[in-house]
Amino acid sequence: KPDALNFNQVVIGNDALDWIRLNSVSQITFRINGNNPSSENFNAISGNNLVANVWQHLLFIRDSSDDIRIYRNGSLFSTNAYNQAAAFSVGKIGARTGVYYNGELSNVQIFNTALPATGANSIETVYNSGQPLSDLSSFTTLVSWWKLDTGGSTITDSAGSNNGTNSNPGATQVTSDVK
C-alpha cells in the first residue's frame, strides 16, 4: 500500500544494487547487479496502473529464460525479456541503503520456481481475490514468507529459516486495513 508513487520507492533491495522499485503509477523498475548491471523498466499494460493509498497485490516472476512478468491484483501488469542471468539477492524489505519505501507492506513471499497463471499453487491462488492467505503449506516451491504481521525486532520467515531483523530506521507495526 504505497503512500505515494514517485521515483525510488524501493520495495525489495540490497546494498549490491539489486532492487525492485516503484517509479510511478505506470512503471516498476527491476535491477539485478550481475556481471553486466542494468535496470529494466516495466510499463503498465492497458492502464493496469498502481494506485497510491490502496492495497495491491504485486507478484514478480522471473522464469528459466530470465523473462520477467509482473502481475498486479492477479492481472498482468507488464512483461519483458530481462537478459540478466545473475541471481537476485534480497537483503532488505522496503529499502536499500539510503532509499526507503514509503507505505505499508504485507506478505512478502519468494518461490524458487515460476508459478502458473491458474490452477493449484498458481498466481490466481496466491492472489486469492485480494485476501492474504493464512496457509501456504501446499506451495512446495515456497522458499520464504515474511507476513510482516508482528512488531518487535525479528521479522519471522514463516516458510523457511531466513528470519530478518527490524533495524534503523525500521518498520513499525500498524493496524492493517488489508481486506
Side-chain angles (χ1 to χ4, degrees):
K1 179 177 165 183
D3 289 346
L5 289 162
N6 52 24
F7 185 70
N8 241 358
Q9 290 287 310
V10 174
V11 178
I12 295 175
N14 71 22
D15 295 334
L17 296 178
D18 291 351
W19 36 254
I20 296 172
R21 177 178 73 192
L22 306 182
N23 279 349
S24 69
V25 296
S26 62
Q27 189 177 75
I28 295 173
T29 300
F30 195 97
R31 178 185 167 106
I32 298 174
N33 189 29
N35 295 331
N36 183 21
S38 63
S39 299
E40 190 70 41
N41 292 323
F42 292 81
N43 297 309
I45 295 172
S46 303
N48 187 12
N49 291 343
L50 302 168
V51 180
N53 298 307
V54 174
W55 282 105
Q56 291 147 97
H57 181 265
L58 296 177
L59 191 137
F60 300 83
I61 293 177
R62 180 179 172 200
D63 66 22
S64 59
S65 300
D66 290 322
D67 292 342
I68 295 175
R69 294 185 312 276
I70 301 172
Y71 290 82
R72 179 187 162 273
N73 294 343
S75 297
L76 188 64
F77 174 87
S78 188
T79 186
N80 210 339
Y82 188 58
N83 300 321
Q84 177 60 275
F88 183 80
S89 174
V90 175
K92 298 178 181 180
I93 296 174
R96 71 174 179 82
T97 302
V99 182
Y100 303 97
Y101 176 76
N102 185 17
E104 299 172 38
L105 293 171
S106 177
N107 289 292
V108 176
Q109 302 146 359
I110 296 178
F111 297 86
N112 64 7
T113 60
L115 300 176
T118 60
N121 297 335
S122 66
I123 294 163
E124 177 182 61
T125 305
V126 172
Y127 175 55
N128 194 35
S129 299
Q131 300 296 314
L133 295 172
S134 59
D135 180 14
L136 292 173
S137 60
S138 66
F139 287 83
T140 58
T141 61
L142 181 65
V143 175
S144 291
W145 177 20
W146 300 281
K147 295 179 184 180
L148 305 176
D149 61 352
T150 61
S153 60
T154 300
I155 300 173
T156 303
D157 179 358
S158 297
S161 59
N162 297 307
N163 291 337
T165 303
N166 186 13
S167 60
N168 192 24
T172 304
Q173 184 178 10
V174 297
T175 301
S176 174
D177 59 350
V178 174
K179 295 184 176 41

